[in-house]
Amino acid sequence: MIENTHAHFLGQTRSDEATHTTFIQAMLDPNAAYGGLYTFCDIKPLHDLTALYALSYNAMCQQIFTHLGIGLDSKLLESALASYATFRTDNIAPLIQIESQLYALELYHGPTYAFKDMALQPFSTLLSLIAKQNNKKYLILSATSGDTGPATLSGFANKQNIKAICIYPKGGTSEVQRLQMTTQTATNLKVYGINGDFDLAQSTLKALLKNENFRNLVTEKGYALSAANSVNIARIAFQIVYYFIIGKELAKQGINAFSVIVPSGNFGNALGAFFAKKMGLPITKICIASNPNDILTQFFTTGVYDIRNKALRLSYSPAMDILKSSNIERLLFAYFGAKKTKAYMESLDKTQYFSLTSDELKVLQTLFEAHSFSDEACLYGIQQAFAKGYVLDPHTSNAYLFAKHRKEQGYANDTQVIIATAHFAKFAKVVCKALCNIDSHTMAILNDKEALDKIFNLLHTHNIAQENLQIDSSILELFQKKEIHTQSYNASDLQESILAWL
Ligand SMILES: *Cc1c(COP(=O)(O)O)cnc(C)c1O
């Protein structure tokens, strides 16, 4: 059995018509009618948070999924959640106090050291189990600028009934991110480093998914084509659960309200917080931290989403480098309904622009705040936190800066929780630049391994006992592994190569 009898149907963001689509169907085939996205609707508060807090992480997830009407067979979900056993901490997502009234929820203890593992580990296991039960085989495609690729490959490695492909821009990721992909030995995985940038990787993926001829040839080989893309509702569902860990841990200290600060790009992580709030988690504010790509900050502060004159800027926090933040569509639907959402999204597609009414903006701002930070500030944030004995990655640094800013401006007397989305070791060069006092010439020729060694030395001399430092140095093993997927490809050759590989 895959689905139990309590499965609700999902909503779709651009139509009020009933979908008759269940969570599992949407997970397998994520494209909703009318170009919209599947989403949860009518989320009701949970009756008894205290009872929820008494549960283990996985039991909490079961309860939350049941409440949302996801309707997965509990044995199946249990098997998917067993994938969290690969995490380097017992409690999956630890909440660490870093200063007075300031905490970090660490989401980076999974196999690829970034928060994408929180969803992609159970997601990939679940997909493989469903494929097996349905006696089907899937070819999963993904494109990545850095973190999604490693997490997807790690999730699907050696999974039955699945082959997974990741397309990435050669030279466009950090060294650690590249090694996490190119050293994968599982024979059901294929990594394509292409000559070009992330836009080309993404458009190649989209073209392949849309190409009927390609789809038919894949089907002839016995595979159904699917994508592990970031708007898959199943990924969002798993990203709700860890917010309740904050509630659970703070309740033990008698703290019953808090704000979360989320380093954001595609808005999937923050959307998890929003759904958790709808389920009754006492979140006061959801604060969106952006880097120099300030599209989300512009949206939440002015109500205008305008990418007409904006170009993507490469920053120190690459996983947040984005112009079109897909999950905003689900937020618009939750607040303003399908008709409005359809109009706004079509306007964005056609004219690269839409604008909320001032009343709509006011409603959003009762829950959301946003702020963007420069790369220079990002380095400063890493230095400030280090002075207090905590090491941040560049993404999380934006959230830390926002927490400080809110406190200084007097917006925040409340408890603040920054969402730590990556381990610092994954972005060693930026962290080294912030902390290690190295001249720019030396910095330019430093590789990731050397940068990491310098950071670890610094931490030892300062006696910084980031609890998991010892375990975390396991990231160094990556540099000893053999790179397997080393060939470069032209995007135009991918179709033929994939079919030959299948
Ligand atoms: C993906 C990612 C983000 C952005 O998360 P969204 O859900 O896309 O907003 C932030 N930080 C890191 C390290 C990431 O990998």
Side-chain angles (χ1 to χ4, degrees), residues 114-116 147 239 263-270 319-320 393 395 421-422 427:
F115 104 96
K116 302 289 191 294
D147 280 345
Q239 288 169 195
S264 293
N266 220 3
F267 201 70
N269 198 352
M320 298 157 64
D393 98 284
H395 302 78
T421 51
F427 300 94

Side-chain angles (χ1 to χ4, degrees), residues 391-393 422-428 431 455-456 459 466 469:
V391 188
L392 297 169
D393 98 284
H423 191 279
F424 67 83
K426 211 166 173 178
F427 300 94
V431 176
I455 298 167
F456 281 130
L459 298 186
Q466 196 139 4
L469 199 56

Side-chain angles (χ1 to χ4, degrees), residues 201-388:
Q202 179 113 336
S203 59
T204 305
L205 169 79
K206 284 187 178 157
L208 285 171
L209 288 172
K210 266 202 240 156
N211 184 329
E212 284 301 321
N213 181 43
F214 176 68
R215 190 175 286 266
N216 291 339
L217 292 168
V218 168
T219 310
E220 270 173 33
K221 301 240 175 195
Y223 285 83
L225 195 59
S226 191
N229 64 30
S230 64
V231 292
N232 195 305
I233 190 67
R235 284 179 58 182
I236 305 291
F238 287 110
Q239 288 169 195
I240 298 170
V241 181
Y242 45 73
Y243 285 98
F244 286 89
I245 293 293
I246 303 172
K248 170 180 171 159
E249 293 303 318
L250 291 182
K252 287 180 192 163
Q253 304 174 35
I255 300 168
N256 292 309
F258 55 88
S259 291
V260 295
I261 309 181
V262 190
S264 293
N266 220 3
F267 201 70
N269 198 352
L271 189 70
F274 174 72
F275 286 145
K277 162 96 182 168
K278 289 248 162 205
M279 294 177 72
L281 188 67
I283 299 176
T284 311
K285 291 276 183 179
I286 299 173
C287 305
I288 304 302
S290 325
N291 66 22
N293 295 290
D294 62 351
I295 191 75
L296 286 174
T297 292
Q298 185 187 44
F299 175 65
F300 283 107
T301 53
T302 67
V304 175
Y305 203 106
D306 184 358
I307 50 180
R308 286 174 300 190
N309 297 311
K310 273 200 173 4
L312 202 67
R313 293 166 63 179
L314 295 181
S315 78
Y316 287 159
S317 42
M320 298 157 64
D321 290 346
I322 199 156
L323 288 178
K324 266 199 185 172
S325 182
S326 319
N327 281 299
I328 284 294
E329 177 161 351
R330 289 188 167 113
L331 189 73
L332 292 177
F333 173 80
Y335 273 96
F336 312 121
K339 215 167 150 203
K340 272 278 170 119
T341 305
K342 182 166 190 278
Y344 286 145
M345 287 297 116
E346 286 180 354
S347 165
L348 186 62
D349 286 341
K350 268 196 215 110
T351 66
Q352 316 261 293
Y353 169 93
F354 71 87
S355 171
L356 301 181
T357 66
S358 61
D359 284 346
E360 288 168 345
L361 177 61
K362 262 190 218 134
V363 176
L364 277 191
Q365 288 178 337
T366 57
L367 181 58
F368 289 94
E369 288 175 17
H371 208 286
S372 76
F373 298 91
S374 68
D375 272 345
E376 217 169 23
C378 172
L379 297 181
Y380 179 72
I382 294 170
Q383 291 158 1
Q384 292 297 297
F386 179 71
K388 304 268 184 176

Side-chain angles (χ1 to χ4, degrees), residues 112-117 120 144-152 173-174 177 180-181 319 393 395 421-422 426-427:
T112 71
Y113 296 84
F115 104 96
K116 302 289 191 294
D117 289 327
L120 279 167
T144 187
S145 62
D147 280 345
T148 303
T152 304
T173 66
S174 85
Q177 288 171 322
Q180 285 177 332
M181 295 187 278
D393 98 284
H395 302 78
T421 51
K426 211 166 173 178
F427 300 94

